[in-house]
Amino acid sequence: MSKINSVTCPVCGCLCDDIELTIADGIVAQVKNGCAMCEAKFFSHSNEHRLKTPLIRKDGKLVPTTYTVAVRKSAEILAKANYPILYGWSSTDSEAQRVGVELAEEVGGVLDNTAVVCHGPSILSVQEVGIPTCTLGQIRHRADLLIYWGCNPWSAHPRHLERYTAFTDGRFENSEWMSYLNKVKAAAGRKKIKSLERKGILKHRREREIPTVSDNKPTEILDKKGRKLIVVDVRKSMTAEIADYFLQVKPGKDYELIQGIRALVRDQELDVEEVAGVPVEYLQQLVDAMISCDFGVIFFGMGLTQSPSKFRNIDVAISLIRDLNMRTKFAIMPMRGHFNVTGANTVFTWQSGYPYAVDFSLGYPRYNPGETTVVDVLLRQESDAGLVIASDPVSNFPRKAVEHLVKNPLIVIDPHMNATSLVGDIIIPSSIVGVEKEGTAYRMDHVPLPLKKVVDPPKGVLSDEEILNRILKEVRKIKSNRLEAA
Amino acid sequence: MDLLIKNGFVYDPINGINGERMDIAIRNNKIVESVIEKNSKIIDATGLTVFPGGVDIHTHIAGSEVNTGRLVRPEDHEKDFVRKTSVTRSGVGYSIPSTFTTGYRYSLMGYTTVMNPSMAALEAKHTHEELNDIPMLDKATYPLLGDWWLVLETIQKGDLEECARYVAWMLEITKGYAIKIVNPGGLESWGFGRNVHSIDDQIPNFGITPRDIMCGLAKVNKMLNLPHTIHLHTNNLGVPGNYETTLDTMKCLESIPSNGKPVVHITHLQFSSFAGEDWGSFRSGAAEIAGYINNHDHVSCDMGQIIFTDTTTMTADGPFEYTLYQLSGHKWVNSDVETETSGGIIPFHYKRKNPVNAIQWSIGLELALLIKNPWKVFMTTDHPNAGPFTAYPKILAWLASKKARMATFKRLHKKAQKKSILPSIDRELSLYDIAIVTRAGQAKALNLKEKGHLGVGADADVAIFDLNPEKVDIANKFRTFRRAFTNTAYTIKGGKILAKDGEILQQAEGKTIWLDMQTKKEIEISEEIKKKFREYWTVEYENYPVSEHYIKNSSPIKIKADV
């Protein structure tokens, strides 16, 4: 039995690097400090259903094969293809991503990562208006106003609040965990009373109203000293439950609401009663809190990027931050999902100049989201082969796009069987990055962190990087043979 | 195979060679006394100019800031793309080229060593990953240490020895080469949206001044025996009237014992030599600055020459980028890094017909020409801040030819023409001077003993230009000169011919040079510091250092420190 400290968790964009693992008999026996997702990931490597040899489709059935055959067949598919797509990349290390760019360039394919169905719109807006942001530690030390907009870290980034924002002690700001504790207790109490009332043990007490934060009315809490946590969302999420103030926005009205706030920040009069269903008077109170803070930050998620008006939402949110910086210090940050989607954008950018949707078919990098994005290529039925790595597009792409993806030869590289591997033609299992393979990942704020190898991969299973390197080598061999033959 | 470069006009200022016809012999990756001719590959350099490989002391080519610059500027790349060939990778330009393209373009101009001057220590792994992907060049990088909390705290305590130990530790674990200081105190203030405006302003929450930081770190630099001086981006950069701050800065470092050697390198000095009260009365402060530098030996500097083009500004000076944002309203990136630094990016188009930009152009050239000793002022554009590095040949032509600079001068904004003293300067740099400001001087300032010269034992980094100094008067035929320096006839690095006549022949990996600090006492990171680490940063102590895993070709230099 051995203990490993300071392990980086390869699950979400938080990249918590304080995980302590206990290894016994070559498997992870105990996970300390991690959230539920973290535990699940570290335990998953010893899952008995894990695929240990490559599979290849013969007569419609997937049958076991060797790495040599799988790599050669994959290389043949890619070398033969006219316009292949190489998609995924967000759950592997940047070492593999580097090889991925080289492979895409070699085969003249379209290289894209999961940002395309996630924070792609955020990137488009950043390219339009820039982004005033910072690293997460800066928020821990300085931020006294935290706004989560269209995201629910409590469920999706469970340790975000405790490690980086409201419930952490910084140099200039203190943790608000006491107030959080009180709120959780109050919520539990309310629940209990309700349950007792339902059972008829307690008489229904209508008269005593317990204040909740859901009615959009800013409480005096916005004037309190110390950190303030505000949540803006279409529904009252778990994060909203513990917030100091929850502002419920009508679905699809984010853009309107932010523009309203911008107007108030710029001291413009609004001659309407309410904006996006929120009374202007309430908004004014919110804006006062924003302007009077020392350091504010907005975190945003899919609620903003993938709701109607998409990248225009982010555009206007960033513009709000630009405006706010004339009055005080403000930052904004996307809540990136996959642990290394930021890394995929980063690596693609330094090698090709573009963060996603890079088309190498003309021999140089070309970028035109809407045209060179993988979903659009698939919807136009243009690709003639696919390589999917470290993601599962079949379960989240539009049906039409999936249909085209499946129609052509499809190579899948993933540690686990997923919906995409079930319909693939060559399935190559890989070791789990950050558990069975060391590497590098980029946190949501672009801070690179080393991933550790804590256990050995199943016997014979190769890493993403190694598999890609072998495919690349094989592709080059096929191409030079072809040249010689010609 | 050995290599013999025969009969070229050799310019090697470190060894005092000024255009003599000589042979240069190369064995493996070093310059040697001689080689046996019949066993060697011969490069006939008759009628060609032979320089040591170029050295760039300050160019932003890698790291999180540069890469964010790439990310926000697709429009910059679309107009300038590079196809994949059988030996080279594809890529894009223009002002912030992708990593491979950066390497190729530098190599085509005869450069073999470049310094990446700005690295947030927290993101050092990123910088090194990118440096690994920049081929053809030897590289080093400077961590930003001027606003690091542990530096501020130890200076506040007055304990420079402790400060020196932290700095030594930081240089080693980030695999850095020099102490970079950007707007000292200003970046910490920027954490809450403020700035400092003179070297004696108090830094909020720390109770010290920029003067304390600069003097403290200059002393630390001495204590650690670092090869380069402190590398300084001054306070008030980019603000009209800032030449006074720059003079104050240089004066405050006079007292540091220097033995006639520089104790500070002020980088992109052009941006720190502004006179006037506001943008309306904006004028050059170059004469005052140059006058000071001519009379003092403790300062070296580089130009940061403006190029009239669309480029991307990026610096750790967050408040300055915010000012640029207010001026231009252009897309603005700010990125503060916890406990260490900040950063910002703004695309910027320098225009001839903009009086301020035109005067800035003039300031850069005035500095380079008025500072008499070429070993003190080097040619840079602070790539990509004042212009992309690919514009270097243009600048060389302006420096070497009055005709060239007057040709541009005539097309400037009239107001700028009136204010500029450039027409009164007749100095024209010779090829010997050019070799100093583009390689020898920079290598010397960096104390890179095997770079920037062609003496026996030097690295076999050679640039050969298709220019016959006996036939071509570069001051007169500046276009021929410029063309010759745009693409070398040969670029040789580490004894390998990498480029010939504007074409890359092979891709080669460069080294990453870093300081392996040998302190008297082993730098011990106590449990207390580790605890502090957890409080200061959001990463664990073990995950912070850049391990050798992140450096493909590691080339450490052992440095014995006095602490």
Side-chain angles (χ1 to χ4, degrees):
Chain A
M1 200 142 77
S2 61
K3 274 201 169 76
I4 308 177
N5 290 336
S6 309
V7 178
T8 308
C9 162
V11 176
C12 74
C14 283
L15 280 188
C16 308
D17 71 334
D18 60 343
I19 312 297
E20 292 174 29
L21 299 178
T22 310
I23 312 291
D25 302 329
I27 62 168
V28 178
Q30 200 190 9
V31 181
K32 255 177 125 175
N33 292 347
C35 64
M37 296 195 293
C38 168
E39 288 182 9
K41 175 98 183 200
F42 278 112
F43 290 138
S44 74
H45 79 98
S46 49
N47 187 331
E48 58 181 302
H49 298 298
R50 233 178 114 183
L51 189 61
K52 294 187 178 103
T53 59
L55 304 175
I56 193 160
R57 196 170 290 276
K58 268 194 185 132
D59 307 323
K61 265 198 180 150
L62 285 171
V63 295
T65 181
T66 63
Y67 271 99
T68 319
V69 174
V71 163
R72 202 186 60 232
K73 291 273 181 201
S74 305
E76 278 168 13
I77 291 172
L78 290 172
K80 214 172 78 182
N82 189 31
Y83 197 52
I85 57 165
L86 297 93
Y87 172 79
W89 308 106
S90 302
S91 292
T92 188
D93 52 355
S94 53
E95 285 79 359
Q97 289 160 354
R98 288 179 58 213
V99 187
V101 185
E102 201 170 353
L103 179 65
E105 186 191 273
E106 189 65 47
V107 301
V110 174
L111 181 72
D112 207 351
N113 59 56
T114 56
V116 70
V117 287
C118 189
H119 273 285
S122 315
I123 292 173
L124 292 181
S125 317
V126 170
Q127 290 173 337
E128 289 265 307
V129 286
I131 185 166
T133 184
C134 57
T135 61
L136 288 163
Q138 196 75 349
I139 292 158
R140 173 202 278 186
H141 290 305
R142 299 177 199 264
D144 56 348
L145 180 65
L146 305 145
I147 302 174
Y148 286 95
W149 198 307
C151 56
N152 182 12
W154 187 265
S155 308
H157 298 85
R159 295 185 70 210
H160 199 264
L161 287 147
E162 75 170 72
R163 270 178 67 81
Y164 307 121
T165 67
F167 310 137
T168 163
D169 275 317
R171 187 177 188 125
F172 307 110
E173 287 296 331
N174 292 323
S175 168
E176 286 293 319
W177 66 273
M178 270 307 279
S179 81
Y180 147 73
L181 212 63
N182 290 339
K183 269 176 229 151
V184 171
K185 274 187 193 159
R190 272 201 300 271
K191 223 167 156 186
K192 200 154 193 180
I193 291 170
K194 282 242 173 77
S195 129
L196 292 176
E197 281 171 0
R198 264 200 310 277
K199 289 178 188 154
I201 298 167
L202 243 169
K203 237 209 267 161
H204 187 53
R205 298 183 303 174
R206 199 189 48 196
E207 63 289 311
R208 209 179 134 211
E209 214 172 278
I210 302 154
T212 64
V213 283
S214 66
D215 55 1
N216 277 351
K217 191 166 158 38
T219 50
E220 62 280 1
I221 217 146
L222 280 182
D223 304 326
K224 75 163 186 177
K225 281 221 157 58
R227 293 200 212 260
K228 294 173 274 274
L229 177 63
I230 296 175
V231 172
V232 186
D233 210 335
V234 291
R235 70 181 77 82
K236 195 171 182 185
S237 62
M238 273 306 289
T239 317
E241 291 274 2
I242 56 161
D244 293 312
Y245 174 48
F246 168 56
L247 181 68
Q248 194 156 19
V249 55
K250 282 187 185 153
K253 295 275 186 192
D254 299 280
Y255 184 90
E256 203 176 316
L257 186 61
I258 301 174
Q259 286 291 37
I261 295 174
R262 277 188 78 192
L264 294 176
V265 169
R266 288 170 162 254
D267 277 339
Q268 286 160 356
E269 291 278 321
L270 289 177
D271 49 6
V272 286
E273 290 293 300
E274 38 173 71
V275 176
V278 184
V280 170
E281 179 196 342
Y282 295 177
L283 278 188
Q284 189 59 58
Q285 270 175 280
L286 176 68
V287 167
D288 289 345
M290 283 173 149
I291 289 171
S292 57
C293 77
D294 288 329
F295 187 120
V297 60
I298 293 182
F299 294 98
F300 64 95
M302 294 297 99
L304 219 49
T305 66
Q306 297 293 344
S307 60
S309 53
K310 293 200 168 180
F311 83 96
R312 289 289 166 210
N313 283 335
I314 317 302
D315 205 320
V316 75
I318 296 175
S319 301
L320 168 64
I321 304 301
R322 283 157 63 109
D323 295 346
L324 280 165
N325 269 289
M326 289 193 262
R327 316 289 292 261
T328 180
K329 179 94 180 177
F330 237 94
I332 185 165
M333 196 187 295
M335 298 286 279
R336 306 305 299 265
H338 292 276
F339 73 89
N340 201 20
V341 61
T342 314
N345 295 145
T346 303
V347 175
F348 289 10
T349 305
W350 88 56
Q351 291 213 351
S352 77
Y354 305 114
Y356 72 114
V358 195
D359 182 344
F360 285 100
S361 63
L362 297 178
Y364 59 87
R366 213 167 60 83
Y367 170 74
N368 187 17
E371 181 202 345
T372 60
T373 26
V374 150
V375 178
D376 300 276
V377 170
L378 289 171
L379 287 175
R380 292 196 309 271
Q381 310 194 345
E382 285 179 348
S383 67
D384 56 353
L387 180 145
V388 169
I389 178 166
S391 75
D392 186 13
V394 166
S395 56
N396 50 40
F397 270 15
R399 195 174 58 85
K400 284 266 185 224
V402 172
E403 274 171 16
H404 187 71
L405 183 71
V406 175
K407 215 160 69 187
N408 290 298
L410 177 61
I411 305 152
V412 184
I413 305 173
D414 206 282
H416 300 284
M417 286 299 275
N418 57 29
T420 311
S421 2
L422 291 175
V423 296
D425 296 297
I426 301 174
I427 318 300
I428 310 180
S430 60
S431 51
I432 304 172
V433 172
V435 183
E436 298 163 347
K437 194 214 170 238
E438 58 175 18
T440 311
Y442 287 74
R443 204 164 68 181
M444 60 168 74
D445 56 352
H446 288 92
V447 171
L449 281 161
L451 302 168
K452 281 194 177 126
K453 177 184 171 182
V454 294
V455 293
D456 289 323
K459 206 164 167 266
V461 170
L462 303 177
S463 68
D464 290 329
E465 189 187 354
E466 175 66 20
I467 294 166
L468 290 164
N469 262 322
R470 288 190 187 189
I471 295 179
L472 178 63
K473 215 169 133 194
E474 199 68 29
V475 166
R476 290 208 167 121
K477 214 160 90 189
I478 295 170
K479 283 177 86 175
S480 70
N481 286 347
R482 211 192 283 159
L483 262 178
E484 274 170 31
Chain B
M1 209 199 318
D2 297 343
L3 197 62
L4 186 64
I5 303 163
K6 283 195 72 169
N7 210 22
F9 297 98
V10 176
Y11 292 85
D12 181 5
I14 287 181
N15 296 306
I17 297 168
N18 185 2
E20 290 168 38
R21 270 187 220 232
M22 283 174 68
D23 295 352
I24 303 287
I26 293 169
R27 178 163 295 147
N28 299 325
N29 52 2
K30 293 283 178 189
I31 298 204
V32 291
E33 192 69 54
S34 61
V35 290
I36 301 163
E37 202 171 325
K38 65 174 197 283
N39 295 341
S40 314
K41 181 178 166 58
I42 310 280
I43 292 178
D44 181 8
T46 311
L48 305 181
T49 297
V50 180
F51 270 33
V55 180
D56 198 338
I57 199 167
H58 191 107
T59 169
H60 299 261
I61 51 168
S64 54
E65 220 167 82
V66 176
N67 208 40
T68 308
R70 289 190 191 106
L71 184 139
V72 296
R73 298 220 61 196
E75 75 280 11
D76 181 79
H77 312 322
E78 269 153 19
K79 63 188 177 200
D80 183 12
F81 52 80
V82 183
R83 263 171 226 280
K84 164 185 167 17
T85 71
S86 56
V87 288
T88 60
R89 297 280 303 270
S90 69
V92 291
Y94 160 79
S95 65
I96 337 146
S98 54
T99 51
F100 301 106
T101 307
T102 302
Y104 304 145
R105 288 188 174 172
Y106 258 116
S107 193
L108 288 173
M109 291 195 309
Y111 276 79
T112 50
T113 309
V114 300
M115 301 281 136
N116 184 62
S118 165
M119 168 173 77
L122 181 63
E123 295 165 342
K125 294 182 198 75
H126 179 178
T127 308
H128 284 289
E129 280 202 289
E130 275 194 40
L131 289 179
N132 285 340
D133 270 350
I134 299 181
M136 328 296 277
L137 302 169
D138 290 340
K139 296 139 289 197
T141 175
Y142 317 147
L144 291 152
L145 299 176
D147 287 74
W148 180 27
W149 284 358
L150 290 178
V151 164
L152 301 184
E153 283 169 5
T154 45
I155 287 177
Q156 185 189 18
K157 264 200 304 190
D159 190 347
L160 281 187
E161 287 217 357
E162 197 186 355
C163 181
R165 276 195 291 274
Y166 281 136
V167 169
W169 175 77
M170 196 60 135
L171 282 166
E172 182 163 334
I173 59 138
T174 59
K175 305 285 183 276
Y177 189 80
I179 299 173
K180 175 76 185 291
I181 307 171
V182 172
N183 185 5
L187 306 192
E188 168 52 34
S189 314
W190 182 240
F192 283 119
R194 294 190 282 269
N195 198 0
V196 291
H197 300 288
S198 86
I199 67 166
D200 292 313
D201 270 14
Q202 287 276 319
I203 300 160
N205 305 315
F206 286 89
I208 52 170
T209 61
R211 178 193 295 271
D212 298 333
I213 300 176
M214 292 185 290
C215 290
L217 284 176
K219 283 176 195 156
V220 163
N221 206 82
K222 284 265 154 204
M223 289 156 88
L224 295 176
N225 295 323
L226 299 184
H228 187 34
T229 59
I230 52 170
H231 198 91
L232 179 68
H233 161 132
T234 61
N235 295 110
N236 275 340
L237 183 131
V239 178
N242 67 6
Y243 81 98
E244 287 178 19
T245 312
T246 310
L247 286 174
D248 289 345
T249 302
M250 293 191 287
K251 280 180 198 153
C252 93
L253 292 164
E254 266 174 24
S255 60
I256 312 287
S258 79
N259 316 328
K261 283 187 190 156
V263 294
V264 60
H265 179 86
I266 299 186
T267 192
H268 38 71
L269 189 55
Q270 174 268 129
F271 288 110
S272 303
S273 309
F274 297 172
E277 281 78 54
D278 51 30
W279 296 114
S281 60
F282 184 78
R283 60 191 169 79
S284 165
E288 289 86 342
I289 299 274
Y292 181 90
I293 293 179
N294 281 335
N295 289 319
H296 294 82
D297 285 331
H298 67 292
V299 184
S300 68
C301 64
D302 61 82
M303 293 164 70
Q305 175 60 35
I306 292 281
I307 303 297
F308 297 117
T309 186
D310 181 14
T311 189
T312 313
T313 67
M314 53 181 67
T315 160
D317 196 347
F320 167 60
E321 291 289 345
Y322 178 68
T323 314
L324 274 186
Y325 156 62
Q326 284 177 313
L327 284 174
S328 70
H330 218 315
K331 48 188 170 189
W332 169 51
V333 175
N334 181 70
S335 69
D336 297 350
V337 178
E338 62 212 53
T339 84
E340 291 172 4
T341 180
S342 73
I345 300 164
I346 296 269
F348 207 89
H349 197 153
Y350 295 105
K351 297 188 182 93
R352 260 187 222 96
K353 296 293 175 196
N354 175 314
V356 170
N357 298 162
I359 292 169
Q360 280 185 282
W361 175 85
S362 177
I363 293 174
L365 294 174
E366 288 165 22
L367 284 169
L369 296 165
L370 290 176
I371 296 174
K372 289 178 194 144
N373 183 351
W375 295 92
K376 283 185 182 175
V377 56
F378 315 126
M379 192 270 294
T380 65
T381 59
D382 184 18
H383 164 82
N385 281 300
F389 66 82
T390 41
Y392 285 175
K394 270 190 199 171
I395 303 173
L396 294 182
W398 289 327
L399 291 176
S401 156
K402 185 165 187 188
K403 203 168 141 189
R405 43 180 194 265
M406 291 320 286
T408 308
F409 184 81
K410 271 188 291 188
R411 297 164 67 202
L412 298 183
H413 193 280
K414 287 282 178 292
K415 206 164 135 194
Q417 287 195 29
K418 257 188 226 150
K419 283 185 178 179
S420 174
I421 56 166
L422 203 58
S424 68
I425 304 175
D426 293 327
R427 185 173 168 209
E428 289 174 332
L429 298 195
S430 64
L431 274 176
Y432 188 75
D433 294 334
I434 297 281
I436 297 170
V437 301
T438 56
R439 23 210 23 103
Q442 318 214 17
K444 205 170 156 208
L446 291 162
N447 214 350
L448 286 168
K449 298 225 158 58
E450 290 160 0
K451 301 284 180 195
H453 72 107
L454 296 171
V456 170
D459 283 349
D461 299 349
V462 188
I464 307 175
F465 299 99
D466 185 4
L467 184 82
N468 187 336
E470 281 186 348
K471 289 195 179 140
V472 180
D473 171 17
I474 57 170
N476 204 16
K477 296 258 183 203
F478 67 87
R479 286 195 183 85
T480 316
F481 167 57
R482 197 169 64 201
R483 209 174 309 124
F485 273 69
T486 304
N487 286 317
T488 58
Y490 294 91
T491 302
I492 297 161
K493 183 180 165 297
K496 288 186 205 153
I497 305 176
L498 299 188
K500 182 172 184 287
D501 298 326
E503 201 184 323
I504 301 289
L505 299 185
Q506 58 172 317
Q507 178 162 320
E509 303 301 338
K511 292 180 291 196
T512 300
I513 304 164
W514 57 279
L515 303 182
D516 183 2
M517 298 301 299
Q518 319 265 313
T519 41
K520 278 187 185 155
K521 254 199 303 185
E522 187 79 9
I523 306 166
E524 242 182 81
I525 300 299
S526 63
E527 282 306 311
E528 197 191 344
I529 297 299
K530 285 188 190 168
K531 220 178 113 202
K532 212 166 195 181
F533 207 93
R534 198 172 282 188
E535 283 167 20
Y536 279 12
W537 284 277
T538 47
V539 303
E540 296 288 300
Y541 166 72
E542 285 93 303
N543 292 329
Y544 191 84
V546 178
S547 59
E548 290 263 354
H549 165 81
Y550 288 98
I551 301 187
K552 226 196 271 172
N553 296 306
S554 178
S555 174
I557 298 177
K558 279 201 168 58
I559 300 291
K560 269 210 158 64
D562 291 339
V563 289

